[in-house]
Amino acid sequence: MKKVDNQRAQTLAEEALKLMQEAKVLQQQAQCQAARILGYQQQSDGLAFKYLAAKAEHGEHSQQAFEAKQAWLHARKSVQARYPKFHGK
């Protein structure tokens, strides 16, 4: 009977370890996503609105819209490079 108990305890310990590892990956994914969202909010979103405003005011093919779009896209890429999507193991 003791051997069965030991095997069951080992199985439960292995399952608990696996669940803890999965929880750690999910936590890391959530932290990465939160950092990326905050980065977009702080650095990119305002530039997106400036681009839309320049596009509406000066036209989609204007120099102002082009420059605003480039600034916005550069900020997005900067955030993406700083906070790459987390894929875990």
Side-chain angles (χ1 to χ4, degrees), residues 1 3-4 8-9 19 21 34 37-38 43 49 55 68 71 75 84 87 89:
M1 189 71 158
K3 184 176 181 179
V4 171
R8 179 69 179 143
L19 288 172
Q21 289 169 339
I37 289 169
L38 183 62
Q43 297 169 345
F49 288 116
K55 190 169 130 176
H87 300 288
K89 293 180 181 181

Side-chain angles (χ1 to χ4, degrees), residues 20-75:
M20 289 175 58
Q21 289 169 339
E22 290 173 4
K24 183 177 179 180
V25 168
L26 291 173
Q27 180 186 25
Q28 290 171 331
Q29 287 174 332
Q31 288 173 336
C32 183
Q33 183 178 10
R36 194 174 231 221
I37 289 169
L38 183 62
Y40 284 139
Q41 289 172 346
Q42 292 177 339
Q43 297 169 345
S44 169
D45 290 356
L47 294 173
F49 288 116
K50 287 182 181 181
Y51 163 59
L52 293 174
K55 190 169 130 176
E57 185 176 345
H58 303 287
E60 184 174 353
H61 302 290
S62 69
Q63 185 65 28
Q64 293 91 335
F66 174 78
E67 289 172 3
K69 183 178 182 179
Q70 293 306 310
W72 168 52
L73 293 176
H74 176 74

